[in-house]
Amino acid sequence: MKKIALVTGASSGMGLATATALAKQNIHVVMLIRNYAKGLAALAQVKKASGGSAEILQADLGDLQSLERLANKFQAQHHQLDILVNNAGVLPPKRQETHDGFEEMFGVHYLGHFAITNMLMPQLLQAPQARIVNVASLAYRFGEINFADLNSKKHYSFVKAYSNSKLAVVLFTEMLAKRLRFTQVTANSLHPGIVNTSVTSRIGGDFLATAPLISKVFLTPEKGAETAIMLATDPALFAVSGKYFDQGRPRKLAAKATDLNTMERLWSVSESLVQEILPDFKAIYQP
Ligand SMILES: NC(=O)c1ccc[n+]([C@@H]2O[C@H](COP(=O)([O-])OP(=O)(O)OC[C@H]3O[C@@H](n4cnc5c(N)ncnc54)[C@H](OP(=O)(O)O)[C@@H]3O)[C@@H](O)[C@H]2O)c1
């Protein structure tokens, strides 16, 4: 039976490269896209470059009701989910809010992925061996979880809000690995490297990538996607869970990303935040 993967943010950059690489490996790829026209173009690109099979499903990670609709559609069509790559990302120059009113990076990088992962858990649990791959960033090291101001309303800098959201992604991954430890589902997070995509172009990456010395630092989206693809497919990693990889290598996490109290509190606060929009939402329990 063909494996099924779902990749968020599959319309460009590393998400598109990841979707293409997975389809090349004979995996059916469901591409979560938010813009239908852009998604159709990306789907055509994936099919042409891979010769494999793929489909698009539309949702906005900042709109939890749209994620619920997507999960329902997925469940109606697919019995199992083997690979979930939570990749979508943003870097807004000034403070922005999602459709549901959360600070955009907290809402998209973290809360939307927290919600969709839990919504698709029944399908992940159906796969013989499922993998959740969360695209974080080494910026997590500069982040903090300020429970009094999760939406950065009192103080906002995009670097800080980005770092905070990526720390939340790493803490989420660690908690997932703990909650799923008696199952066949693994969860790992990663830093892809510094990659020349529309995210970095927004902070001058296009210009920097042409500078002689700095250009060597920037990876192509295909190179940047390699760690996510490795975590999603390498047979040797079938039992690896709760790890953080930086460009292909496992790295020790900073203490702030492994603090059990923060992890548990973030999990239960996040469940409540999602329930404000979707009252029937339930995150998985500690087995
Ligand atoms: N580039 C780097 O150097 C770097 C370094 C560390 C970590 N990362 C992380 O890598 C991941 C991929 O980023 P990238 O560099 O490949 O950026 P990218 O080319 O800008 O891709 C971002 C993707 O996320 C999608 N997206 C954004 N907001 C969304 C929303 N609300 N709902 C659904 N999809 C949404 C975008 O869709 P649209 O096409 O509709 O905009 C796009 O497909 C991100 O999580 C980023 O934080 C990147």
Side-chain angles (χ1 to χ4, degrees), residues 99-157:
H99 172 275
D100 295 327
F102 300 105
E103 185 282 315
E104 192 178 18
M105 290 188 275
F106 176 76
V108 171
H109 297 161
Y110 172 61
L111 199 63
H113 285 128
F114 170 84
I116 193 68
T117 303
N118 278 292
M119 287 172 189
L120 294 174
M121 196 54 73
Q123 283 64 44
L124 286 161
L125 290 165
Q126 285 298 324
Q129 197 264 304
R131 300 181 186 200
I132 301 164
V133 178
N134 289 336
V135 180
S137 162
L138 57 71
Y140 89 84
R141 288 178 166 271
F142 311 110
E144 62 179 340
I145 304 298
N146 179 359
F147 286 101
D149 190 23
L150 284 173
N151 287 301
S152 306
K153 274 191 174 158
K154 291 185 193 136
H155 171 72
Y156 181 83
S157 89

Side-chain angles (χ1 to χ4, degrees), residues 9-14 32 34 38 59-62 87-90 108-109 135-137 162 166 191-195 197-200 202:
S11 62
S12 69
M14 284 181 272
L32 186 157
R34 66 170 161 175
K38 207 173 162 186
D60 175 351
L61 279 151
N87 159 84
V90 283
V108 171
H109 297 161
V135 180
S137 162
Y162 181 81
K166 292 300 188 179
H191 169 64
I194 306 297
V195 188
T197 64
S198 49
V199 157
T200 37
R202 253 166 260 144

